[in-house]
Amino acid sequence: MIATVTPNLALDVTYEMTELRPGETNRVQAVHARAGGKGVNVARVLRSLGHDVLVLGLAGGPTGDAVREELEASGLAHDLVPAAGETRRTVTVVAGAEATMLGEPGPAV
């Protein structure tokens, strides 16, 4: 078993659209959300290579609950410690061939 440690987990949210027009209303064509953070991403790759993995980290608030649910739905074993602060989100806007990422700060621990 390989354990990955991600003290600053995230819920990675991706918006897909044909074009991003700053300063205007933009319509999103598709939305995807999944647990993220460097350790979670490494765990996904290790699991795809056939290794048993355990994701360790801190998760708080409704976003932390969403991270837990997505890890379970993905079949990734986890042991997340409850945190008082809200787990961060990252939002990536994919418009055509360009991607723009907005990263929230993580909670103070």
Side-chain angles (χ1 to χ4, degrees):
M1 166 106 25
I2 300 172
T4 63
V5 180
T6 310
N8 198 14
L9 288 166
L11 182 65
D12 294 338
V13 180
T14 303
Y15 295 144
E16 292 182 25
M17 57 184 54
T18 54
E19 179 183 10
L20 176 63
R21 297 178 311 276
E24 295 183 29
T25 299
N26 292 267
R27 301 289 179 214
V28 175
Q29 296 168 321
V31 179
H32 311 281
R34 69 185 218 166
K38 303 269 187 306
V40 173
N41 297 338
V42 168
R44 288 185 195 282
V45 171
L46 289 170
R47 185 165 182 273
S48 74
L49 295 172
H51 297 281
D52 291 328
V53 295
L54 177 64
V55 175
L56 303 173
L58 306 169
T63 306
D65 293 340
V67 166
R68 281 185 184 86
E69 290 171 13
E70 199 284 323
L71 288 172
E72 290 167 12
S74 296
L76 287 171
H78 61 85
D79 188 2
L80 302 180
V81 176
E86 182 79 20
T87 296
R88 70 190 177 103
R89 292 170 297 183
T90 63
V91 176
T92 302
V93 177
V94 177
E98 293 186 358
T100 302
M101 198 273 281
L102 306 169
E104 295 179 356
V109 178

